[in-house]
Amino acid sequence: MPMRKAARLLAGLIAAVAVLGMAVSAEAQEKKIKIGVIFDLTGPLAGGGSELQYMGAKIMLDQFAKTGVEGYKIEAVYADAQSKPDVAINEAVRLVEQEKVDMLLGFYSSAQCVPVAGRVEQLKKFMWITTCISSAVLENKNYKYVFRPQPSGDQFGLMTMDFIAHNSQSKFGKDPKDLRVAIIHEDGAYGVDVAKGNELGAKRAGFNVVMDEGYSATAPDLSTLVTKLKRARPDVIFHTGYNPDITLFFRQAREQGLKVGAIVGHGAGYGVYEKLKEGLGADANYLFDTDPISIWLTNPEALDPKLPPVIKVVGEEFDKVRPGVANRSAHVGMAASNTYLFLTDVLPRAIKKYGGIDADALRKAALDVDVPDGGTMLGFGVKFEGEGAPAPGQNERAFPVVIQYIDDKPYVVWPKSQAQRDAVLPLPAGTTYSYK
Protein backbone atom coordinates (compact mmCIF):
# COMPACT_ATOMS: atom_id res chain seq x y z
CA MET A 1 0.00 0.00 0.00
CA PRO A 2 2.70 2.53 0.85
CA MET A 3 4.36 1.87 -2.52
CA ARG A 4 1.06 2.34 -4.36
CA LYS A 5 0.43 5.56 -2.45
CA ALA A 6 3.92 6.78 -3.26
CA ALA A 7 3.39 5.94 -6.92
CA ARG A 8 0.14 7.88 -6.96
CA LEU A 9 1.83 10.87 -5.29
CA LEU A 10 4.69 10.71 -7.77
CA ALA A 11 2.27 10.54 -10.69
CA GLY A 12 0.35 13.49 -9.29
CA LEU A 13 3.56 15.45 -8.80
CA ILE A 14 4.68 14.71 -12.35
CA ALA A 15 1.29 15.80 -13.67
CA ALA A 16 1.40 19.00 -11.60
CA VAL A 17 4.91 19.80 -12.82
CA ALA A 18 3.79 19.14 -16.40
CA VAL A 19 0.82 21.48 -15.99
CA LEU A 20 3.05 24.11 -14.41
CA GLY A 21 5.55 23.70 -17.22
CA MET A 22 2.80 24.13 -19.78
CA ALA A 23 1.59 27.25 -17.98
CA VAL A 24 5.10 28.73 -17.86
CA SER A 25 5.62 27.85 -21.52
CA ALA A 26 2.30 29.44 -22.48
CA GLU A 27 3.17 32.55 -20.50
CA ALA A 28 6.54 32.79 -22.25
CA GLN A 29 4.91 32.36 -25.63
CA GLU A 30 2.28 34.98 -24.86
CA LYS A 31 4.74 37.64 -23.70
CA LYS A 32 3.75 40.56 -25.90
CA ILE A 33 3.20 44.28 -26.16
CA LYS A 34 -0.13 45.44 -27.55
CA ILE A 35 0.24 48.74 -29.39
CA GLY A 36 -2.88 50.78 -30.12
CA VAL A 37 -2.40 52.65 -33.41
CA ILE A 38 -4.66 55.58 -34.30
CA PHE A 39 -4.74 57.41 -37.64
CA ASP A 40 -7.47 58.88 -39.86
CA LEU A 41 -8.40 56.27 -42.44
CA THR A 42 -11.60 58.03 -43.48
CA GLY A 43 -12.67 61.66 -43.74
CA PRO A 44 -10.73 64.59 -45.24
CA LEU A 45 -7.54 64.01 -43.22
CA ALA A 46 -7.07 60.53 -44.68
CA GLY A 47 -6.21 61.85 -48.14
CA GLY A 48 -4.38 64.83 -46.63
CA GLY A 49 -1.61 62.58 -45.35
CA SER A 50 -2.95 60.51 -42.46
CA GLU A 51 -3.47 57.34 -44.49
CA LEU A 52 0.12 57.59 -45.73
CA GLN A 53 1.33 57.97 -42.15
CA TYR A 54 -0.67 54.87 -41.24
CA MET A 55 1.04 52.95 -44.06
CA GLY A 56 4.49 53.97 -42.85
CA ALA A 57 3.78 52.93 -39.26
CA LYS A 58 2.14 49.66 -40.37
CA ILE A 59 5.07 48.73 -42.64
CA MET A 60 7.40 48.97 -39.65
CA LEU A 61 5.07 47.28 -37.18
CA ASP A 62 4.52 44.41 -39.64
CA GLN A 63 8.27 43.93 -39.99
CA PHE A 64 8.79 43.66 -36.24
CA ALA A 65 5.72 41.46 -35.80
CA LYS A 66 7.76 38.82 -37.64
CA THR A 67 10.72 39.00 -35.26
CA GLY A 68 9.45 40.43 -31.99
CA VAL A 69 11.57 42.61 -29.70
CA GLU A 70 13.62 41.12 -26.85
CA GLY A 71 11.30 38.13 -26.60
CA TYR A 72 8.10 40.19 -26.81
CA LYS A 73 5.62 39.66 -29.60
CA ILE A 74 4.47 42.87 -31.31
CA GLU A 75 0.71 43.05 -31.68
CA ALA A 76 -0.80 46.17 -33.28
CA VAL A 77 -4.46 47.08 -32.82
CA TYR A 78 -5.60 49.70 -35.34
CA ALA A 79 -8.33 52.32 -34.99
CA ASP A 80 -9.77 54.97 -37.34
CA ALA A 81 -10.10 58.49 -35.89
CA GLN A 82 -12.36 59.38 -38.86
CA SER A 83 -10.86 62.90 -39.05
CA LYS A 84 -12.76 63.84 -35.86
CA PRO A 85 -11.21 64.84 -32.50
CA ASP A 86 -14.04 63.32 -30.44
CA VAL A 87 -13.68 60.00 -32.26
CA ALA A 88 -9.90 60.06 -31.70
CA ILE A 89 -10.43 60.52 -27.95
CA ASN A 90 -13.08 57.81 -27.78
CA GLU A 91 -10.93 55.37 -29.74
CA ALA A 92 -7.92 56.05 -27.53
CA VAL A 93 -9.97 55.32 -24.41
CA ARG A 94 -11.52 52.22 -26.02
CA LEU A 95 -8.13 50.82 -26.98
CA VAL A 96 -6.84 51.32 -23.44
CA GLU A 97 -9.87 50.19 -21.47
CA GLN A 98 -11.41 47.54 -23.72
CA GLU A 99 -8.60 46.31 -25.97
CA LYS A 100 -6.15 46.54 -23.04
CA VAL A 101 -3.33 47.97 -25.16
CA ASP A 102 -0.07 48.70 -23.36
CA MET A 103 0.53 51.99 -25.18
CA LEU A 104 -0.69 54.23 -28.02
CA LEU A 105 1.15 55.23 -31.21
CA GLY A 106 0.38 57.42 -34.22
CA PHE A 107 -1.91 60.49 -34.39
CA TYR A 108 -1.91 62.77 -37.40
CA SER A 109 -4.03 65.80 -36.59
CA SER A 110 -2.92 68.30 -33.96
CA ALA A 111 -6.58 69.08 -33.24
CA GLN A 112 -6.84 65.46 -32.08
CA CYS A 113 -3.43 65.22 -30.45
CA VAL A 114 -3.97 68.04 -27.99
CA PRO A 115 -7.03 66.56 -26.24
CA VAL A 116 -5.96 62.92 -26.69
CA ALA A 117 -2.58 63.55 -25.05
CA GLY A 118 -4.30 64.99 -21.98
CA ARG A 119 -6.67 62.02 -21.75
CA VAL A 120 -3.92 59.43 -22.21
CA GLU A 121 -1.82 61.13 -19.54
CA GLN A 122 -4.80 60.85 -17.16
CA LEU A 123 -5.01 57.14 -17.98
CA LYS A 124 -1.28 56.83 -17.18
CA LYS A 125 -0.52 55.16 -20.50
CA PHE A 126 2.50 55.74 -22.73
CA MET A 127 1.84 57.73 -25.93
CA TRP A 128 4.30 57.86 -28.83
CA ILE A 129 3.39 60.58 -31.35
CA THR A 130 4.68 59.88 -34.85
CA THR A 131 3.17 62.86 -36.59
CA CYS A 132 1.15 65.79 -35.22
CA ILE A 133 3.28 68.86 -34.63
CA SER A 134 1.38 71.47 -32.60
CA SER A 135 3.48 72.92 -29.78
CA ALA A 136 0.29 73.03 -27.71
CA VAL A 137 0.43 69.23 -27.35
CA LEU A 138 3.41 69.41 -24.97
CA GLU A 139 4.28 73.02 -24.20
CA ASN A 140 3.87 73.87 -20.50
CA LYS A 141 1.98 70.61 -19.90
CA ASN A 142 4.69 68.72 -17.98
CA TYR A 143 3.30 65.37 -19.11
CA LYS A 144 5.15 62.24 -17.96
CA TYR A 145 4.02 59.71 -20.56
CA VAL A 146 3.68 61.60 -23.86
CA PHE A 147 6.67 61.71 -26.25
CA ARG A 148 7.13 63.17 -29.73
CA PRO A 149 10.26 62.66 -31.89
CA GLN A 150 8.77 65.09 -34.47
CA PRO A 151 9.70 68.77 -34.85
CA SER A 152 7.11 71.14 -33.34
CA GLY A 153 4.84 73.43 -35.35
CA ASP A 154 6.56 76.68 -34.46
CA GLN A 155 9.79 75.24 -35.93
CA PHE A 156 7.97 74.80 -39.25
CA GLY A 157 6.87 78.44 -39.29
CA LEU A 158 10.28 79.73 -38.26
CA MET A 159 12.07 77.59 -40.85
CA THR A 160 10.11 78.95 -43.82
CA MET A 161 10.49 82.57 -42.75
CA ASP A 162 14.23 82.04 -42.37
CA PHE A 163 14.32 80.48 -45.85
CA ILE A 164 12.59 83.44 -47.50
CA ALA A 165 14.59 85.99 -45.49
CA HIS A 166 17.83 84.51 -46.82
CA ASN A 167 16.49 84.72 -50.38
CA SER A 168 14.73 88.08 -50.18
CA GLN A 169 17.46 90.21 -51.70
CA SER A 170 19.02 87.68 -54.05
CA LYS A 171 15.77 86.29 -55.49
CA PHE A 172 13.20 89.07 -55.08
CA GLY A 173 15.55 92.05 -55.23
CA LYS A 174 14.09 93.44 -52.01
CA ASP A 175 15.33 94.04 -48.50
CA PRO A 176 13.32 91.92 -46.03
CA LYS A 177 11.62 95.05 -44.67
CA ASP A 178 10.24 95.72 -48.14
CA LEU A 179 9.04 92.18 -48.76
CA ARG A 180 5.26 91.86 -48.44
CA VAL A 181 4.17 88.57 -46.87
CA ALA A 182 0.79 87.02 -46.08
CA ILE A 183 0.14 84.30 -43.51
CA ILE A 184 -2.97 82.15 -44.01
CA HIS A 185 -3.79 79.00 -42.08
CA GLU A 186 -6.50 76.57 -41.09
CA ASP A 187 -7.75 77.61 -37.65
CA GLY A 188 -7.14 74.34 -35.76
CA ALA A 189 -4.27 73.63 -33.36
CA TYR A 190 -1.94 72.74 -36.24
CA GLY A 191 -2.54 75.87 -38.33
CA VAL A 192 -2.52 78.25 -35.39
CA ASP A 193 0.75 76.85 -34.07
CA VAL A 194 2.59 77.03 -37.40
CA ALA A 195 1.25 80.55 -37.93
CA LYS A 196 2.72 81.60 -34.57
CA GLY A 197 6.10 80.43 -35.83
CA ASN A 198 5.50 82.38 -39.05
CA GLU A 199 4.62 85.50 -37.07
CA LEU A 200 7.71 85.24 -34.87
CA GLY A 201 9.91 84.56 -37.88
CA ALA A 202 8.43 87.49 -39.80
CA LYS A 203 9.13 89.78 -36.86
CA ARG A 204 12.73 88.58 -36.64
CA ALA A 205 13.24 89.06 -40.39
CA GLY A 206 11.53 92.44 -40.41
CA PHE A 207 9.04 91.46 -43.12
CA ASN A 208 6.04 93.62 -43.97
CA VAL A 209 3.12 91.36 -42.94
CA VAL A 210 0.21 92.55 -45.08
CA MET A 211 -2.26 89.84 -44.03
CA ASP A 212 -2.55 87.26 -41.25
CA GLU A 213 -5.77 85.27 -41.22
CA GLY A 214 -7.18 81.86 -40.32
CA TYR A 215 -10.06 79.91 -41.86
CA SER A 216 -11.91 76.65 -41.24
CA ALA A 217 -10.37 73.65 -43.00
CA THR A 218 -13.91 72.48 -43.78
CA ALA A 219 -15.05 75.81 -45.26
CA PRO A 220 -16.96 75.27 -48.52
CA ASP A 221 -15.85 78.63 -49.95
CA LEU A 222 -12.54 80.51 -49.62
CA SER A 223 -13.24 83.21 -52.21
CA THR A 224 -13.36 85.97 -49.58
CA LEU A 225 -9.91 84.94 -48.37
CA VAL A 226 -8.63 85.06 -51.96
CA THR A 227 -10.17 88.53 -52.48
CA LYS A 228 -8.36 89.83 -49.39
CA LEU A 229 -5.09 88.38 -50.66
CA LYS A 230 -5.53 90.11 -54.00
CA ARG A 231 -5.98 93.43 -52.22
CA ALA A 232 -2.99 92.80 -49.95
CA ARG A 233 -0.67 92.04 -52.92
CA PRO A 234 1.87 89.83 -51.08
CA ASP A 235 5.18 88.78 -52.58
CA VAL A 236 5.01 85.51 -50.65
CA ILE A 237 2.08 83.57 -49.18
CA PHE A 238 2.79 81.25 -46.25
CA HIS A 239 -0.01 78.67 -46.12
CA THR A 240 -0.81 76.00 -43.56
CA GLY A 241 -3.65 73.68 -44.58
CA TYR A 242 -4.79 70.13 -45.08
CA ASN A 243 -6.72 69.03 -48.16
CA PRO A 244 -9.26 69.48 -49.76
CA ASP A 245 -8.99 73.06 -48.44
CA ILE A 246 -5.66 73.48 -50.28
CA THR A 247 -7.21 72.40 -53.57
CA LEU A 248 -10.21 74.68 -53.00
CA PHE A 249 -7.93 77.63 -52.25
CA PHE A 250 -5.89 77.20 -55.42
CA ARG A 251 -8.94 76.67 -57.59
CA GLN A 252 -10.56 79.87 -56.39
CA ALA A 253 -7.22 81.72 -56.56
CA ARG A 254 -6.94 80.71 -60.21
CA GLU A 255 -10.52 81.76 -60.92
CA GLN A 256 -9.97 85.18 -59.34
CA GLY A 257 -6.56 85.71 -60.91
CA LEU A 258 -4.47 85.85 -57.74
CA LYS A 259 -0.82 86.61 -58.54
CA VAL A 260 2.10 86.13 -56.15
CA GLY A 261 5.86 85.55 -56.08
CA ALA A 262 5.88 82.28 -54.10
CA ILE A 263 3.57 80.01 -52.13
CA VAL A 264 5.17 78.21 -49.21
CA GLY A 265 3.28 75.36 -47.53
CA HIS A 266 3.80 73.63 -44.20
CA GLY A 267 3.36 69.86 -44.14
CA ALA A 268 -0.01 68.06 -44.12
CA GLY A 269 -1.65 68.53 -47.53
CA TYR A 270 1.48 70.08 -49.02
CA GLY A 271 3.36 66.88 -48.21
CA VAL A 272 1.15 64.71 -50.45
CA TYR A 273 2.29 65.51 -53.98
CA GLU A 274 -0.03 63.04 -55.69
CA LYS A 275 -3.02 64.90 -54.18
CA LEU A 276 -1.57 68.28 -55.12
CA LYS A 277 -1.02 67.06 -58.67
CA GLU A 278 -4.50 65.56 -58.81
CA GLY A 279 -6.10 68.82 -57.72
CA LEU A 280 -3.79 71.38 -59.34
CA GLY A 281 -2.22 69.68 -62.33
CA ALA A 282 0.89 71.49 -63.57
CA ASP A 283 0.32 74.25 -60.98
CA ALA A 284 1.69 71.89 -58.30
CA ASN A 285 5.13 72.56 -59.73
CA TYR A 286 7.27 75.15 -57.90
CA LEU A 287 5.21 74.94 -54.71
CA PHE A 288 7.15 74.59 -51.46
CA ASP A 289 6.52 72.17 -48.60
CA THR A 290 8.03 72.18 -45.11
CA ASP A 291 8.32 68.83 -43.38
CA PRO A 292 10.83 66.47 -41.82
CA ILE A 293 12.94 65.38 -44.76
CA SER A 294 11.69 62.47 -46.85
CA ILE A 295 13.71 59.39 -45.94
CA TRP A 296 14.30 58.95 -49.68
CA LEU A 297 15.98 62.37 -49.90
CA THR A 298 18.37 62.02 -46.97
CA ASN A 299 22.07 61.70 -47.77
CA PRO A 300 22.89 58.00 -47.13
CA GLU A 301 26.49 58.89 -46.29
CA ALA A 302 25.32 61.10 -43.43
CA LEU A 303 23.19 58.34 -41.86
CA ASP A 304 24.01 55.52 -39.49
CA PRO A 305 25.06 52.65 -41.83
CA LYS A 306 22.27 50.38 -40.63
CA LEU A 307 19.55 52.80 -41.84
CA PRO A 308 19.83 52.85 -45.69
CA PRO A 309 18.84 49.15 -45.94
CA VAL A 310 15.81 49.85 -43.74
CA ILE A 311 14.83 52.79 -45.96
CA LYS A 312 15.06 50.45 -48.96
CA VAL A 313 12.68 47.98 -47.31
CA VAL A 314 10.17 50.73 -46.45
CA GLY A 315 10.20 51.87 -50.09
CA GLU A 316 9.74 48.35 -51.42
CA GLU A 317 6.85 47.63 -49.06
CA PHE A 318 5.15 50.93 -49.90
CA ASP A 319 5.51 50.25 -53.63
CA LYS A 320 3.62 46.98 -53.15
CA VAL A 321 0.68 48.90 -51.66
CA ARG A 322 0.87 51.93 -53.96
CA PRO A 323 2.61 50.83 -57.18
CA GLY A 324 3.41 53.51 -59.71
CA VAL A 325 3.36 56.51 -57.35
CA ALA A 326 5.75 59.08 -58.82
CA ASN A 327 6.90 60.51 -55.48
CA ARG A 328 6.86 58.56 -52.25
CA SER A 329 5.39 61.01 -49.77
CA ALA A 330 7.49 62.20 -46.84
CA HIS A 331 4.53 61.20 -44.67
CA VAL A 332 5.24 57.49 -45.22
CA GLY A 333 8.88 57.69 -44.16
CA MET A 334 8.09 60.02 -41.28
CA ALA A 335 5.84 57.50 -39.54
CA ALA A 336 8.12 54.60 -40.47
CA SER A 337 11.18 56.33 -39.02
CA ASN A 338 9.51 57.40 -35.79
CA THR A 339 7.97 53.93 -35.30
CA TYR A 340 11.35 52.29 -36.00
CA LEU A 341 12.96 54.52 -33.37
CA PHE A 342 10.51 53.29 -30.76
CA LEU A 343 10.88 49.62 -31.69
CA THR A 344 14.69 49.61 -31.87
CA ASP A 345 15.67 52.07 -29.15
CA VAL A 346 12.95 52.76 -26.58
CA LEU A 347 11.26 49.35 -26.34
CA PRO A 348 14.41 47.19 -26.03
CA ARG A 349 15.77 49.48 -23.31
CA ALA A 350 12.49 49.41 -21.39
CA ILE A 351 12.55 45.61 -21.40
CA LYS A 352 16.25 45.08 -20.66
CA LYS A 353 17.05 48.01 -18.38
CA TYR A 354 13.73 48.81 -16.74
CA GLY A 355 12.17 45.38 -16.55
CA GLY A 356 9.14 45.53 -18.80
CA ILE A 357 6.67 47.45 -20.92
CA ASP A 358 4.56 49.38 -18.41
CA ALA A 359 4.22 53.14 -18.87
CA ASP A 360 6.93 53.99 -16.34
CA ALA A 361 9.45 51.62 -17.91
CA LEU A 362 8.74 53.04 -21.37
CA ARG A 363 8.98 56.59 -20.02
CA LYS A 364 12.37 55.99 -18.40
CA ALA A 365 13.61 54.32 -21.58
CA ALA A 366 12.45 57.27 -23.72
CA LEU A 367 14.18 59.79 -21.47
CA ASP A 368 17.43 57.81 -21.92
CA VAL A 369 17.33 58.15 -25.72
CA ASP A 370 20.44 59.95 -26.98
CA VAL A 371 20.64 59.62 -30.76
CA PRO A 372 23.11 61.89 -32.63
CA ASP A 373 22.36 63.62 -35.94
CA GLY A 374 22.20 61.00 -38.67
CA GLY A 375 20.91 58.41 -36.24
CA THR A 376 17.36 58.39 -37.60
CA MET A 377 16.06 57.88 -41.13
CA LEU A 378 14.92 61.53 -41.01
CA GLY A 379 18.49 62.70 -40.53
CA PHE A 380 18.07 64.42 -37.19
CA GLY A 381 19.03 63.13 -33.77
CA VAL A 382 16.81 62.47 -30.77
CA LYS A 383 16.99 63.74 -27.20
CA PHE A 384 13.77 64.38 -25.32
CA GLU A 385 13.24 67.34 -23.03
CA GLY A 386 12.80 66.21 -19.44
CA GLU A 387 10.89 67.35 -16.40
CA GLY A 388 11.08 71.09 -15.79
CA ALA A 389 11.80 71.92 -19.46
CA PRO A 390 9.35 74.06 -21.50
CA ALA A 391 7.98 71.01 -23.35
CA PRO A 392 8.80 67.70 -21.63
CA GLY A 393 8.60 64.85 -24.13
CA GLN A 394 9.57 66.98 -27.14
CA ASN A 395 12.59 65.97 -29.23
CA GLU A 396 14.94 68.94 -28.96
CA ARG A 397 17.14 67.73 -31.87
CA ALA A 398 14.40 67.50 -34.53
CA PHE A 399 14.14 69.92 -37.44
CA PRO A 400 12.12 70.22 -40.67
CA VAL A 401 13.42 71.10 -44.14
CA VAL A 402 11.96 73.08 -47.04
CA ILE A 403 11.46 71.18 -50.28
CA GLN A 404 10.30 72.43 -53.68
CA TYR A 405 8.48 70.43 -56.32
CA ILE A 406 10.21 70.95 -59.67
CA ASP A 407 9.21 68.95 -62.76
CA ASP A 408 7.19 66.63 -60.53
CA LYS A 409 10.14 65.83 -58.27
CA PRO A 410 10.85 67.00 -54.70
CA TYR A 411 14.18 68.70 -53.93
CA VAL A 412 15.45 69.92 -50.57
CA VAL A 413 16.25 73.62 -50.94
CA TRP A 414 16.72 74.69 -47.29
CA PRO A 415 18.63 74.68 -44.97
CA LYS A 416 21.86 74.93 -46.93
CA SER A 417 23.37 71.98 -45.07
CA GLN A 418 20.67 69.70 -46.54
CA ALA A 419 20.00 71.46 -49.86
CA GLN A 420 20.07 69.43 -53.08
CA ARG A 421 19.61 72.39 -55.40
CA ASP A 422 18.90 76.11 -55.46
CA ALA A 423 15.29 77.19 -55.02
CA VAL A 424 13.34 78.57 -57.98
CA LEU A 425 12.14 81.98 -56.80
CA PRO A 426 9.95 83.78 -57.61
CA LEU A 427 7.41 81.69 -59.55
CA PRO A 428 8.54 81.48 -63.20
CA ALA A 429 6.90 83.84 -65.68
CA GLY A 430 3.99 82.23 -67.49
CA THR A 431 2.93 79.98 -64.59
CA THR A 432 -0.65 80.39 -63.36
CA TYR A 433 -0.04 82.33 -60.15
CA SER A 434 3.17 84.17 -61.12
CA TYR A 435 3.15 87.95 -60.76
CA LYS A 436 6.06 88.27 -63.20
Side-chain angles (χ1 to χ4, degrees):
M1 287 293 291
M3 289 185 65
R4 287 178 186 169
K5 186 175 181 181
R8 284 198 301 270
L9 286 171
L10 180 60
L13 181 60
I14 291 171
V17 170
V19 170
L20 179 61
M22 289 171 63
V24 171
S25 176
E27 183 181 356
Q29 289 174 2
E30 291 173 2
K31 192 189 268 188
K32 66 183 176 183
I33 179 169
K34 286 183 74 173
I35 302 176
V37 184
I38 302 180
F39 287 105
D40 306 281
L41 305 180
T42 56
L45 297 179
S50 190
E51 188 180 13
L52 292 166
Q53 291 274 350
Y54 154 78
M55 288 181 188
K58 188 174 187 301
I59 286 169
M60 204 51 64
L61 288 164
D62 286 349
Q63 294 297 311
F64 280 84
K66 299 172 187 175
T67 61
V69 174
E70 297 297 332
Y72 278 74
K73 179 183 177 182
I74 305 298
E75 181 181 327
V77 184
Y78 296 93
D80 178 10
Q82 301 176 30
S83 301
K84 299 173 183 176
D86 57 331
V87 174
I89 296 169
N90 291 338
E91 286 297 273
V93 173
R94 180 184 68 81
L95 288 172
V96 170
E97 295 185 344
Q98 296 180 29
E99 297 289 344
K100 305 299 181 184
V101 300
D102 298 294
M103 58 165 289
L104 293 166
L105 177 147
F107 303 98
Y108 177 71
S109 164
S110 295
Q112 297 170 10
C113 247
V114 173
V116 170
R119 190 72 182 92
V120 173
E121 181 75 10
Q122 288 176 350
L123 294 169
K124 291 182 166 44
K125 284 293 179 180
F126 187 82
M127 180 175 175
W128 185 258
I129 299 170
T130 61
T131 313
C132 73
I133 65 171
S134 173
S135 302
V137 176
L138 295 169
E139 202 166 66
N140 302 318
K141 299 294 174 63
N142 210 30
Y143 290 150
K144 289 180 64 177
Y145 302 113
V146 183
F147 288 82
R148 178 173 60 192
Q150 281 284 82
S152 61
D154 55 353
Q155 288 178 287
F156 280 57
L158 286 165
M159 176 67 77
T160 53
M161 287 292 175
D162 186 49
F163 162 59
I164 293 297
H166 278 79
N167 283 284
S168 181
Q169 186 66 60
S170 61
K171 299 292 188 179
F172 292 93
K174 295 183 177 183
D175 288 333
K177 65 181 175 58
D178 297 321
L179 198 73
R180 301 168 65 86
V181 304
I183 301 167
I184 60 172
H185 59 91
E186 65 87 26
D187 60 9
Y190 154 63
V192 169
D193 194 50
V194 176
K196 285 180 181 177
N198 282 149
E199 291 156 5
L200 178 58
K203 186 175 181 180
R204 288 179 182 175
F207 290 145
N208 177 15
V209 180
V210 295
M211 184 173 164
D212 187 348
E213 188 163 323
Y215 66 88
S216 170
T218 58
D221 183 5
L222 295 176
S223 59
T224 301
L225 181 72
V226 174
T227 299
K228 290 180 181 179
L229 284 167
K230 285 188 68 177
R231 290 174 183 162
R233 297 178 294 105
D235 294 296
V236 182
I237 295 172
F238 295 87
H239 185 196
T240 305
Y242 288 108
N243 224 327
D245 58 304
I246 290 174
T247 299
L248 175 62
F249 167 71
F250 277 100
R251 177 172 61 79
Q252 295 189 320
R254 184 175 62 247
E255 290 169 354
Q256 294 189 46
L258 176 65
K259 302 297 181 182
V260 67
I263 301 170
V264 182
H266 303 92
Y270 280 95
V272 189
Y273 186 74
E274 59 182 322
K275 283 289 181 184
L276 289 175
K277 184 75 173 179
E278 180 184 308
L280 309 180
D283 292 337
N285 265 315
Y286 304 109
L287 294 180
F288 294 93
D289 173 43
T290 312
D291 253 324
I293 196 169
S294 165
I295 62 174
W296 296 287
L297 296 181
T298 50
N299 177 5
E301 296 180 2
L303 297 180
D304 185 308
K306 71 175 179 288
L307 296 175
V310 181
I311 291 172
K312 184 173 182 290
V313 169
V314 176
E316 290 170 350
E317 292 301 312
F318 176 70
D319 290 345
K320 292 176 185 176
V321 181
R322 291 280 182 89
V325 173
N327 294 309
R328 296 168 179 157
S329 171
H331 286 302
V332 179
M334 202 183 304
S337 178
N338 291 331
T339 303
Y340 179 82
L341 174 70
F342 173 77
L343 293 169
T344 60
D345 193 310
V346 179
L347 182 56
R349 185 181 300 107
I351 296 168
K352 291 190 293 184
K353 184 176 179 180
Y354 295 108
I357 57 169
D358 62 84
D360 284 303
L362 292 170
R363 172 181 182 269
K364 291 173 184 175
L367 288 172
D368 282 353
V369 172
D370 189 2
V371 177
D373 282 351
T376 69
M377 288 183 266
L378 297 170
F380 50 67
V382 185
K383 184 67 180 174
F384 294 106
E385 294 184 26
E387 190 173 353
Q394 173 61 42
N395 178 14
E396 60 188 36
R397 294 177 183 167
F399 58 83
V401 298
V402 180
I403 69 112
Q404 186 175 30
Y405 300 113
I406 300 173
D407 297 330
D408 294 329
K409 292 182 180 179
Y411 296 92
V412 178
V413 294
W414 191 260
K416 284 185 177 180
S417 61
Q418 303 288 326
Q420 297 172 307
R421 62 165 295 163
D422 195 27
V424 177
L425 283 167
L427 284 167
T431 52
T432 301
Y433 305 102
S434 173
Y435 66 5
K436 290 182 71 174

